[in-house]
Amino acid sequence: MVSVDRAQVMAYRIAALGLAERVEMRPADLPVLDLGVQEYTPGSARVALAARTSGPLTDDRLITVWAARGAPHLHRRADLAALVKQLWPISDADATSRIQSGQIPDGMKLGLEAFRATADAFREVVHESMPRGDVSTEVSKRVPRALTYECRSCQARHIAGNVWQHSGLPGGVEVQSRGKDATLGPIPSAPPRPEENEGIGDLILTYLRFLGPATPLEVGKYLGSSTAEMKSAWPVKRLAEVTVDGKRKWLPAGAADDLAGASRPEGVRFVPAMDALLQSRDRDVLVPDRDQQKEVWRRLGNPGAILIDGEIAGVWRAKLAGRKRVDLTVTAFGKLPAGRRRQIEAESAEVARAREVPEATVAFE
Protein backbone atom coordinates (compact mmCIF):
# COMPACT_ATOMS: atom_id res chain seq x y z
CA MET A 1 0.00 0.00 0.00
CA VAL A 2 1.25 3.47 -0.90
CA SER A 3 1.79 5.77 2.08
CA VAL A 4 2.37 9.50 1.60
CA ASP A 5 2.22 12.78 3.48
CA ARG A 6 0.12 15.87 2.76
CA ALA A 7 2.86 17.53 0.70
CA GLN A 8 2.83 14.59 -1.70
CA VAL A 9 -0.95 14.86 -1.97
CA MET A 10 -0.63 18.54 -2.85
CA ALA A 11 1.88 17.73 -5.59
CA TYR A 12 -0.45 15.06 -6.99
CA ARG A 13 -3.52 17.31 -7.00
CA ILE A 14 -1.74 20.30 -8.53
CA ALA A 15 -0.45 18.11 -11.35
CA ALA A 16 -3.83 16.42 -11.89
CA LEU A 17 -5.63 19.77 -11.96
CA GLY A 18 -3.24 21.25 -14.53
CA LEU A 19 -1.64 23.81 -12.23
CA ALA A 20 1.90 22.45 -12.32
CA GLU A 21 2.61 23.56 -15.88
CA ARG A 22 0.70 25.98 -18.09
CA VAL A 23 -0.10 24.39 -21.44
CA GLU A 24 -1.36 25.76 -24.73
CA MET A 25 -4.79 24.19 -25.08
CA ARG A 26 -8.31 25.29 -25.78
CA PRO A 27 -10.28 25.32 -22.51
CA ALA A 28 -12.53 22.37 -23.30
CA ASP A 29 -9.45 20.21 -23.85
CA LEU A 30 -8.14 20.82 -20.33
CA PRO A 31 -8.51 17.74 -18.09
CA VAL A 32 -10.00 19.84 -15.25
CA LEU A 33 -13.16 20.25 -17.35
CA ASP A 34 -13.93 16.61 -16.47
CA LEU A 35 -14.65 17.97 -12.98
CA GLY A 36 -15.96 21.38 -14.05
CA VAL A 37 -14.77 24.91 -13.32
CA GLN A 38 -16.91 26.92 -10.92
CA GLU A 39 -17.85 30.52 -11.69
CA TYR A 40 -17.80 31.88 -8.13
CA THR A 41 -17.70 35.57 -9.06
CA PRO A 42 -17.93 37.18 -12.51
CA GLY A 43 -14.75 36.32 -14.38
CA SER A 44 -13.40 33.81 -11.87
CA ALA A 45 -13.75 30.84 -14.22
CA ARG A 46 -11.63 32.67 -16.82
CA VAL A 47 -8.94 33.24 -14.17
CA ALA A 48 -9.01 29.51 -13.41
CA LEU A 49 -8.55 28.73 -17.10
CA ALA A 50 -5.74 31.28 -17.47
CA ALA A 51 -3.87 29.59 -14.62
CA ARG A 52 -3.80 26.43 -16.75
CA THR A 53 -3.59 27.44 -20.41
CA SER A 54 -1.84 30.14 -22.41
CA GLY A 55 -4.36 29.67 -25.19
CA PRO A 56 -7.55 31.66 -25.85
CA LEU A 57 -10.00 31.52 -22.93
CA THR A 58 -13.23 31.38 -24.91
CA ASP A 59 -14.51 28.07 -26.22
CA ASP A 60 -17.96 27.51 -27.68
CA ARG A 61 -17.77 23.87 -26.64
CA LEU A 62 -18.32 24.99 -23.03
CA ILE A 63 -21.53 25.99 -21.29
CA THR A 64 -22.34 27.30 -17.80
CA VAL A 65 -24.84 25.18 -15.87
CA TRP A 66 -25.79 24.65 -12.25
CA ALA A 67 -23.87 21.46 -11.47
CA ALA A 68 -22.23 20.15 -8.27
CA ARG A 69 -24.04 21.55 -5.20
CA GLY A 70 -26.18 23.60 -7.59
CA ALA A 71 -23.25 25.98 -8.14
CA PRO A 72 -22.60 27.47 -11.59
CA HIS A 73 -19.86 25.56 -13.39
CA LEU A 74 -18.33 25.54 -16.83
CA HIS A 75 -18.76 22.09 -18.40
CA ARG A 76 -18.34 20.63 -21.84
CA ARG A 77 -21.59 20.56 -23.78
CA ALA A 78 -20.72 17.04 -24.88
CA ASP A 79 -20.57 15.88 -21.24
CA LEU A 80 -24.04 17.08 -20.18
CA ALA A 81 -25.93 13.91 -21.11
CA ALA A 82 -23.79 11.86 -18.73
CA LEU A 83 -23.36 14.59 -16.10
CA VAL A 84 -27.08 15.17 -15.54
CA LYS A 85 -27.54 11.48 -14.72
CA GLN A 86 -24.44 11.37 -12.50
CA LEU A 87 -25.63 14.36 -10.45
CA TRP A 88 -29.19 13.10 -10.05
CA PRO A 89 -29.69 11.98 -6.41
CA ILE A 90 -29.32 8.27 -5.80
CA SER A 91 -32.22 8.08 -3.33
CA ASP A 92 -34.85 10.12 -1.50
CA ALA A 93 -32.45 10.42 1.44
CA ASP A 94 -29.74 11.74 -0.86
CA ALA A 95 -32.13 14.27 -2.40
CA THR A 96 -33.20 15.46 1.05
CA SER A 97 -29.56 15.89 2.10
CA ARG A 98 -28.82 18.02 -0.94
CA ILE A 99 -31.72 20.44 -0.42
CA GLN A 100 -31.71 20.77 3.36
CA SER A 101 -32.98 24.22 4.25
CA GLY A 102 -34.69 25.93 7.12
CA GLN A 103 -36.78 27.76 4.53
CA ILE A 104 -38.53 24.58 3.36
CA PRO A 105 -38.55 22.08 6.26
CA ASP A 106 -41.44 20.13 4.75
CA GLY A 107 -40.34 20.57 1.17
CA MET A 108 -36.96 18.93 1.68
CA LYS A 109 -38.80 15.81 2.88
CA LEU A 110 -40.18 15.36 -0.62
CA GLY A 111 -36.84 13.91 -1.64
CA LEU A 112 -36.62 13.00 -5.31
CA GLU A 113 -40.08 14.40 -6.01
CA ALA A 114 -38.74 17.88 -5.23
CA PHE A 115 -36.16 17.47 -8.01
CA ARG A 116 -38.67 16.00 -10.46
CA ALA A 117 -41.29 18.69 -9.87
CA THR A 118 -38.79 21.55 -10.13
CA ALA A 119 -37.03 20.18 -13.20
CA ASP A 120 -40.37 19.69 -14.96
CA ALA A 121 -41.40 23.24 -14.05
CA PHE A 122 -38.19 24.61 -15.60
CA ARG A 123 -38.96 22.75 -18.81
CA GLU A 124 -42.48 24.20 -18.91
CA VAL A 125 -41.26 27.75 -18.37
CA VAL A 126 -37.90 28.26 -20.09
CA HIS A 127 -38.14 28.19 -23.87
CA GLU A 128 -36.06 31.28 -24.59
CA SER A 129 -33.66 33.60 -22.81
CA MET A 130 -35.45 35.02 -19.74
CA PRO A 131 -34.59 37.20 -16.73
CA ARG A 132 -33.83 34.98 -13.77
CA GLY A 133 -36.48 36.72 -11.65
CA ASP A 134 -39.19 35.97 -14.20
CA VAL A 135 -38.17 32.31 -14.32
CA SER A 136 -38.27 32.13 -10.52
CA THR A 137 -41.77 33.61 -10.43
CA GLU A 138 -43.14 31.15 -12.98
CA VAL A 139 -41.36 28.08 -11.60
CA SER A 140 -42.53 28.96 -8.08
CA LYS A 141 -46.14 28.85 -9.29
CA ARG A 142 -45.72 25.33 -10.63
CA VAL A 143 -43.93 23.47 -7.84
CA PRO A 144 -45.45 22.11 -4.61
CA ARG A 145 -46.07 24.91 -2.14
CA ALA A 146 -43.77 23.16 0.36
CA LEU A 147 -40.81 24.00 -1.88
CA THR A 148 -41.50 27.75 -1.63
CA TYR A 149 -41.18 30.24 1.19
CA GLU A 150 -42.59 33.67 1.96
CA CYS A 151 -40.17 36.44 0.98
CA ARG A 152 -40.85 39.41 3.25
CA SER A 153 -38.90 41.93 1.19
CA CYS A 154 -40.98 41.45 -1.96
CA GLN A 155 -44.11 39.98 -0.33
CA ALA A 156 -44.21 36.94 -2.59
CA ARG A 157 -43.51 33.22 -2.39
CA HIS A 158 -40.27 32.02 -3.96
CA ILE A 159 -38.88 28.58 -4.58
CA ALA A 160 -35.94 27.86 -2.24
CA GLY A 161 -32.59 28.50 -3.87
CA ASN A 162 -31.05 25.10 -3.16
CA VAL A 163 -33.73 22.99 -4.86
CA TRP A 164 -34.01 25.59 -7.64
CA GLN A 165 -30.33 25.41 -8.56
CA HIS A 166 -29.94 21.66 -8.02
CA SER A 167 -32.79 21.15 -10.50
CA GLY A 168 -31.58 23.52 -13.21
CA LEU A 169 -29.50 21.04 -15.20
CA PRO A 170 -32.15 18.28 -15.19
CA GLY A 171 -34.60 21.06 -16.03
CA GLY A 172 -32.65 21.78 -19.21
CA VAL A 173 -31.52 25.26 -18.15
CA GLU A 174 -28.23 27.05 -18.78
CA VAL A 175 -26.92 30.07 -16.88
CA GLN A 176 -26.49 32.73 -19.57
CA SER A 177 -25.48 35.64 -17.36
CA ARG A 178 -25.25 36.50 -13.69
CA GLY A 179 -25.48 39.59 -11.51
CA LYS A 180 -28.09 42.33 -11.68
CA ASP A 181 -29.31 41.34 -15.15
CA ALA A 182 -29.02 37.57 -14.68
CA THR A 183 -30.63 35.51 -17.42
CA LEU A 184 -31.38 31.84 -17.93
CA GLY A 185 -32.09 30.01 -21.16
CA PRO A 186 -32.82 26.55 -22.53
CA ILE A 187 -29.86 24.25 -23.11
CA PRO A 188 -29.77 23.52 -26.84
CA SER A 189 -30.69 19.86 -27.39
CA ALA A 190 -30.87 19.37 -23.63
CA PRO A 191 -30.70 15.80 -22.35
CA PRO A 192 -33.97 14.55 -20.82
CA ARG A 193 -34.68 14.69 -17.11
CA PRO A 194 -33.28 11.53 -15.52
CA GLU A 195 -35.58 8.93 -14.02
CA GLU A 196 -32.80 7.66 -11.78
CA ASN A 197 -29.12 8.15 -11.10
CA GLU A 198 -26.74 6.57 -13.54
CA GLY A 199 -23.00 6.86 -13.12
CA ILE A 200 -22.51 7.95 -9.51
CA GLY A 201 -19.48 5.65 -9.41
CA ASP A 202 -17.96 7.49 -12.36
CA LEU A 203 -18.61 10.83 -10.66
CA ILE A 204 -16.88 9.62 -7.50
CA LEU A 205 -13.92 8.44 -9.57
CA THR A 206 -13.68 11.86 -11.23
CA TYR A 207 -13.57 13.58 -7.85
CA LEU A 208 -10.89 11.19 -6.61
CA ARG A 209 -8.81 11.54 -9.79
CA PHE A 210 -8.46 15.26 -9.19
CA LEU A 211 -9.00 15.76 -5.46
CA GLY A 212 -8.03 12.40 -4.01
CA PRO A 213 -6.93 10.60 -2.05
CA ALA A 214 -10.21 11.07 -0.19
CA THR A 215 -13.03 9.32 1.63
CA PRO A 216 -16.84 9.15 1.31
CA LEU A 217 -17.01 12.03 3.81
CA GLU A 218 -15.23 14.48 1.49
CA VAL A 219 -17.11 13.37 -1.61
CA GLY A 220 -20.42 13.71 0.23
CA LYS A 221 -19.57 17.25 1.30
CA TYR A 222 -18.51 18.15 -2.23
CA LEU A 223 -21.88 17.05 -3.62
CA GLY A 224 -23.90 18.38 -0.70
CA SER A 225 -24.87 14.81 0.17
CA SER A 226 -24.12 12.62 3.19
CA THR A 227 -21.34 10.22 4.05
CA ALA A 228 -23.83 7.36 4.36
CA GLU A 229 -25.16 7.90 0.83
CA MET A 230 -21.68 8.02 -0.64
CA LYS A 231 -20.65 4.88 1.25
CA SER A 232 -23.62 3.08 -0.31
CA ALA A 233 -22.35 3.99 -3.80
CA TRP A 234 -18.59 3.74 -3.11
CA PRO A 235 -17.02 1.94 -6.13
CA VAL A 236 -14.54 0.02 -4.01
CA LYS A 237 -13.62 -2.48 -6.76
CA ARG A 238 -12.44 0.39 -8.95
CA LEU A 239 -10.35 2.04 -6.23
CA ALA A 240 -6.91 1.72 -4.68
CA GLU A 241 -6.46 2.20 -0.94
CA VAL A 242 -3.62 4.44 0.25
CA THR A 243 -2.69 6.17 3.48
CA VAL A 244 -2.09 9.88 3.95
CA ASP A 245 -0.25 10.70 7.15
CA GLY A 246 -1.48 7.35 8.45
CA LYS A 247 -5.15 7.85 7.50
CA ARG A 248 -6.86 5.46 5.08
CA LYS A 249 -8.11 7.06 1.86
CA TRP A 250 -8.84 6.09 -1.73
CA LEU A 251 -7.78 6.88 -5.29
CA PRO A 252 -8.88 5.45 -8.63
CA ALA A 253 -7.14 2.15 -9.32
CA GLY A 254 -3.95 2.87 -11.21
CA ALA A 255 -3.50 6.37 -9.79
CA ALA A 256 -1.43 5.29 -6.79
CA ASP A 257 1.77 5.34 -8.85
CA ASP A 258 0.97 8.89 -10.01
CA LEU A 259 0.52 9.88 -6.37
CA ALA A 260 3.80 8.30 -5.29
CA GLY A 261 5.69 9.80 -8.24
CA ALA A 262 4.30 13.34 -8.14
CA SER A 263 7.00 15.98 -7.79
CA ARG A 264 6.62 19.33 -6.12
CA PRO A 265 6.02 22.01 -8.78
CA GLU A 266 7.84 25.31 -8.99
CA GLY A 267 6.48 28.75 -9.74
CA VAL A 268 3.51 30.96 -8.96
CA ARG A 269 -0.18 30.77 -9.81
CA PHE A 270 -3.14 32.99 -9.00
CA VAL A 271 -6.05 30.62 -8.44
CA PRO A 272 -9.49 32.18 -7.99
CA ALA A 273 -11.86 31.63 -5.11
CA MET A 274 -13.53 28.22 -5.41
CA ASP A 275 -11.01 27.00 -7.96
CA ALA A 276 -11.18 23.23 -8.27
CA LEU A 277 -8.05 22.95 -6.10
CA LEU A 278 -9.87 24.70 -3.25
CA GLN A 279 -12.96 22.50 -3.59
CA SER A 280 -11.56 19.50 -1.72
CA ARG A 281 -13.09 19.17 1.72
CA ASP A 282 -9.95 18.02 3.59
CA ARG A 283 -8.76 21.56 4.24
CA ASP A 284 -6.06 20.45 6.67
CA VAL A 285 -4.29 18.89 3.68
CA LEU A 286 -4.46 22.09 1.65
CA VAL A 287 -3.68 24.54 4.45
CA PRO A 288 -2.53 22.92 7.74
CA ASP A 289 -2.65 26.16 9.74
CA ARG A 290 -6.19 26.76 11.05
CA ASP A 291 -5.84 30.55 11.18
CA GLN A 292 -4.71 30.57 7.56
CA GLN A 293 -7.68 28.38 6.64
CA LYS A 294 -9.95 31.13 7.91
CA GLU A 295 -8.30 33.52 5.46
CA VAL A 296 -8.82 31.21 2.47
CA TRP A 297 -12.36 29.99 3.26
CA ARG A 298 -14.55 32.72 4.70
CA ARG A 299 -18.20 32.66 5.57
CA LEU A 300 -18.79 35.28 2.87
CA GLY A 301 -16.64 36.53 0.03
CA ASN A 302 -13.76 34.08 -0.36
CA PRO A 303 -10.53 35.50 -1.81
CA GLY A 304 -8.36 33.72 -4.34
CA ALA A 305 -5.25 31.81 -3.28
CA ILE A 306 -1.62 32.30 -4.24
CA LEU A 307 0.25 29.10 -5.08
CA ILE A 308 4.02 29.21 -4.63
CA ASP A 309 5.98 26.06 -5.40
CA GLY A 310 2.93 23.87 -4.84
CA GLU A 311 1.76 25.34 -1.54
CA ILE A 312 -0.97 27.87 -0.74
CA ALA A 313 1.16 30.77 0.43
CA GLY A 314 -1.39 33.56 0.72
CA VAL A 315 -4.60 35.07 -0.61
CA TRP A 316 -5.45 37.75 -3.15
CA ARG A 317 -8.30 40.01 -4.15
CA ALA A 318 -8.96 41.93 -7.34
CA LYS A 319 -10.61 45.22 -8.20
CA LEU A 320 -11.16 46.37 -11.74
CA ALA A 321 -10.16 49.96 -12.56
CA GLY A 322 -12.52 50.47 -15.45
CA ARG A 323 -11.31 48.84 -18.64
CA LYS A 324 -7.70 49.87 -18.11
CA ARG A 325 -6.35 47.51 -15.46
CA VAL A 326 -7.05 45.17 -12.58
CA ASP A 327 -5.60 46.02 -9.16
CA LEU A 328 -4.55 42.99 -7.14
CA THR A 329 -3.92 42.95 -3.40
CA VAL A 330 -1.81 40.04 -2.15
CA THR A 331 -1.69 39.01 1.50
CA ALA A 332 1.04 36.45 2.05
CA PHE A 333 1.16 33.99 4.94
CA GLY A 334 4.88 34.64 5.39
CA LYS A 335 7.68 36.89 4.22
CA LEU A 336 8.05 37.22 0.46
CA PRO A 337 11.61 37.80 -0.78
CA ALA A 338 12.07 40.29 -3.61
CA GLY A 339 12.44 37.47 -6.14
CA ARG A 340 9.09 36.00 -5.16
CA ARG A 341 7.42 39.37 -5.46
CA ARG A 342 8.76 39.73 -8.97
CA GLN A 343 7.38 36.28 -9.85
CA ILE A 344 3.96 37.26 -8.49
CA GLU A 345 4.02 40.53 -10.40
CA ALA A 346 4.90 38.70 -13.61
CA GLU A 347 2.12 36.14 -13.08
CA SER A 348 -0.43 38.91 -12.49
CA ALA A 349 -0.46 39.44 -16.25
CA GLU A 350 -2.47 36.22 -16.51
CA VAL A 351 -5.17 37.68 -14.29
CA ALA A 352 -5.25 40.77 -16.51
CA ARG A 353 -5.59 38.53 -19.56
CA ALA A 354 -8.47 36.68 -17.94
CA ARG A 355 -10.22 39.88 -16.92
CA GLU A 356 -9.69 41.34 -20.40
CA VAL A 357 -7.76 44.45 -19.36
CA PRO A 358 -4.32 45.60 -20.58
CA GLU A 359 -2.45 45.43 -17.28
CA ALA A 360 -2.45 44.43 -13.62
CA THR A 361 -0.95 46.12 -10.59
CA VAL A 362 0.04 44.26 -7.42
CA ALA A 363 0.03 45.64 -3.89
CA PHE A 364 1.51 43.52 -1.09
CA GLU A 365 0.03 43.69 2.40
Side-chain angles (χ1 to χ4, degrees):
M1 182 186 298
V2 172
S3 297
V4 297
D5 59 14
R6 61 155 296 278
Q8 193 67 20
V9 173
M10 285 292 290
Y12 169 82
R13 291 181 184 175
I14 287 170
L17 289 164
L19 290 167
E21 182 178 353
R22 186 176 281 112
V23 296
E24 188 173 355
M25 286 184 179
R26 294 181 67 195
D29 297 325
L30 294 170
V32 72
L33 265 298
D34 293 354
L35 187 67
V37 174
Q38 184 171 340
E39 176 84 347
Y40 180 66
T41 56
S44 65
R46 287 176 58 89
V47 176
L49 296 176
R52 294 166 167 87
T53 178
S54 59
L57 302 180
T58 56
D59 194 329
D60 59 8
R61 295 174 296 167
L62 299 179
I63 187 171
T64 303
V65 294
W66 288 320
R69 302 174 312 285
H73 284 72
L74 274 179
H75 276 282
R76 302 183 189 97
R77 296 177 187 272
D79 291 345
L80 295 186
L83 182 67
V84 67
K85 292 183 284 189
Q86 292 172 357
L87 287 172
W88 190 255
I90 62 178
S91 66
D92 282 319
D94 185 21
T96 294
S97 292
R98 298 192 195 196
I99 60 172
Q100 282 191 19
S101 170
Q103 292 177 328
I104 52 168
D106 294 323
M108 67 185 195
K109 298 175 185 177
L110 294 176
L112 285 165
E113 181 56 28
F115 282 71
R116 286 190 288 263
T118 307
D120 290 347
F122 270 121
R123 290 176 183 264
E124 287 181 19
V125 170
V126 183
H127 299 287
E128 60 184 1
S129 182
M130 296 176 62
R132 174 176 169 146
D134 291 353
V135 177
S136 175
T137 297
E138 293 303 317
V139 168
S140 298
K141 293 176 182 177
R142 289 166 168 80
V143 299
R145 184 177 176 83
L147 295 177
T148 66
Y149 67 97
E150 196 70 35
C151 178
R152 294 180 180 179
S153 62
C154 58
Q155 297 183 338
R157 292 194 70 85
H158 295 306
I159 185 169
N162 48 10
V163 66
W164 150 271
Q165 292 189 199
H166 270 290
S167 303
L169 178 55
V173 170
E174 69 168 304
V175 181
Q176 295 180 330
S177 65
R178 300 177 65 202
K180 182 180 178 181
D181 299 317
T183 58
L184 305 175
I187 297 171
S189 303
R193 172 177 65 77
E195 293 298 327
E196 61 183 7
N197 179 280
E198 184 178 328
I200 184 63
D202 293 332
L203 185 61
I204 291 170
L205 284 168
T206 299
Y207 178 95
L208 295 175
R209 179 156 51 92
F210 291 102
L211 298 176
T215 70
L217 171 67
E218 286 92 45
V219 178
K221 288 183 176 180
Y222 174 77
L223 293 175
S225 184
S226 67
T227 303
E229 292 298 309
M230 291 304 101
K231 281 183 176 180
S232 73
W234 203 242
V236 63
K237 293 183 179 180
R238 302 166 68 185
L239 301 178
E241 187 176 326
V242 302
T243 62
V244 178
D245 292 327
K247 297 179 180 178
R248 186 173 65 160
K249 299 191 178 188
W250 287 265
L251 277 176
D257 288 343
D258 293 332
L259 171 65
S263 57
R264 183 173 178 174
E266 296 181 352
V268 172
R269 290 289 186 276
F270 284 85
V271 297
M274 301 306 286
D275 184 87
L277 175 68
L278 306 178
Q279 296 277 7
S280 65
R281 276 17 192 193
D282 49 359
R283 294 176 176 176
D284 287 345
V285 170
L286 294 178
V287 181
D289 186 281
R290 293 297 176 91
D291 289 333
Q292 293 174 2
Q293 286 180 20
K294 294 175 183 177
E295 294 300 313
V296 178
W297 297 281
R298 294 174 173 264
R299 296 181 67 88
L300 291 172
N302 287 344
I306 289 286
L307 276 180
I308 299 180
D309 292 350
E311 292 289 349
I312 295 173
V315 297
W316 65 277
R317 295 188 181 276
K319 184 178 181 180
L320 281 174
R323 297 181 180 179
K324 296 182 178 180
R325 69 176 191 275
V326 59
D327 296 325
L328 307 178
T329 302
V330 172
T331 305
F333 294 151
K335 186 177 180 180
L336 291 174
R340 285 297 189 200
R341 293 190 176 212
R342 287 193 293 270
Q343 282 185 297
I344 290 171
E345 288 168 344
E347 181 66 15
S348 71
E350 294 298 330
V351 180
R353 179 170 73 99
R355 299 306 300 269
E356 300 180 281
V357 292
E359 64 175 324
T361 67
V362 181
F364 295 94
E365 290 188 337

